[in-house]
Amino acid sequence: MGLLLFVMAVFLGSTETGSWNESLFNFTPLPWMYKFYYLKYLFIVLPGTLAGEWLIDHKNTNDDGVNSQRLLLIGLLCFVLIGMNVALLFSRILVLNLGVTAVLLIAIYYLVRAIAPANKLLKNCFCAGAYLLLLGLFFEAYEGGIHKDPSTYSHYFVTAGLSFFMLIGFYGLQLSKAGSRVVHFLALNGRNAMVAYVAGSLLLLPLLHLTGAIKLLDSMRGSVWSGFLRGVLFTGMVSLVTVFFTKRKWFWRT
């Protein structure tokens, strides 16, 4: 994790023409396999490995003593936090987003603190998520604002931080009967992530074009709500294809 600061230093120094940072950044013996630029994804991947370690440690923990209603409330606030950041960052209402995020983090903190002594997973995920999210929001003005292509430091830290809160949200959601089914369905997709990643472009879109159904799907671009429904339908089809493969133990690893 500490090496990420050195990776960041090379990225920032590479903008200076003639510097050794620029030479290191541009050096690649095998362009098709390695570029220093690809190391940017470590800013998301390495924090994710922490979540994996904490989940493994939590696997044998008994959740019977956890206040389920309080945990559901924490999960709901986490989903609100994610939704507000997506909406307000997209709308470029940055000051309001920072204020709302701070208020929600304080509320979640006090709820988590009440049950954290018996649940290190919640405490760790909250601390990591809050740190990364706030760090990303402080980076937001840099590099022209948050965006994925080309990706920015704000993008790395905000998405990594929100992912921790998504994990907390699902943790709370699975305590209800309906919520546990939703989490199980999503988990089946997560177990076969590469299939989920390519099923849309390599399978569904070709089939839609061959059958002519793509015209029906494209006709739903007319309004915001029909466009939203189009996204839900397409994503739902991708998920069903992925679940089909997962249940038959047909996995694509990379």
Side-chain angles (χ1 to χ4, degrees), residues 2-13:
L3 290 176
L4 289 178
L5 292 177
F6 291 91
V7 174
M8 179 185 290
V10 173
F11 269 90
L12 297 178

Side-chain angles (χ1 to χ4, degrees), residues 86-104:
V86 172
L88 295 179
L89 286 174
F90 180 78
S91 303
R92 312 305 298 153
I93 309 176
L94 305 179
V95 176
L96 177 61
N97 181 64
L98 186 60
V100 169
T101 297
V103 171
L104 288 172

Side-chain angles (χ1 to χ4, degrees), residues 65 133 210:
L133 176 57
L210 288 171

Side-chain angles (χ1 to χ4, degrees), residues 88-152:
L88 295 179
L89 286 174
F90 180 78
S91 303
R92 312 305 298 153
I93 309 176
L94 305 179
V95 176
L96 177 61
N97 181 64
L98 186 60
V100 169
T101 297
V103 171
L104 288 172
L105 287 178
I106 292 172
I108 296 171
Y109 167 75
Y110 281 105
L111 290 170
V112 167
R113 190 176 68 169
I115 59 178
N119 196 309
K120 292 183 178 180
L121 176 65
L122 277 180
K123 177 185 176 182
N124 290 338
C125 285
F126 171 80
C127 291
Y131 178 84
L132 289 168
L133 176 57
L134 290 175
L135 183 61
L137 293 180
F138 273 67
F139 265 106
E140 209 285 331
Y142 182 58
E143 299 176 300
I146 185 171
H147 47 78
K148 182 180 178 181
D149 294 314
S151 54
T152 64

Side-chain angles (χ1 to χ4, degrees), residues 40-50 160:
K40 64 181 183 178
Y41 297 113
L42 292 176
F43 288 99
I44 300 174
V45 172
L46 287 183
T49 64
L50 294 179

Side-chain angles (χ1 to χ4, degrees), residues 8 15 61 73 75 77 112 145 155 161 171 180 191-192 222 234 246:
M8 179 185 290
T15 59
T61 302
L73 178 58
L77 289 177
V112 167
H155 167 73
Y171 181 53
S180 64
R191 292 172 191 167
N192 216 351
F234 187 79
T246 303

Side-chain angles (χ1 to χ4, degrees), residues 38 49 58 99 121 126 163 224:
Y38 297 152
T49 64
H58 183 76
L121 176 65
F126 171 80
S163 295
V224 173

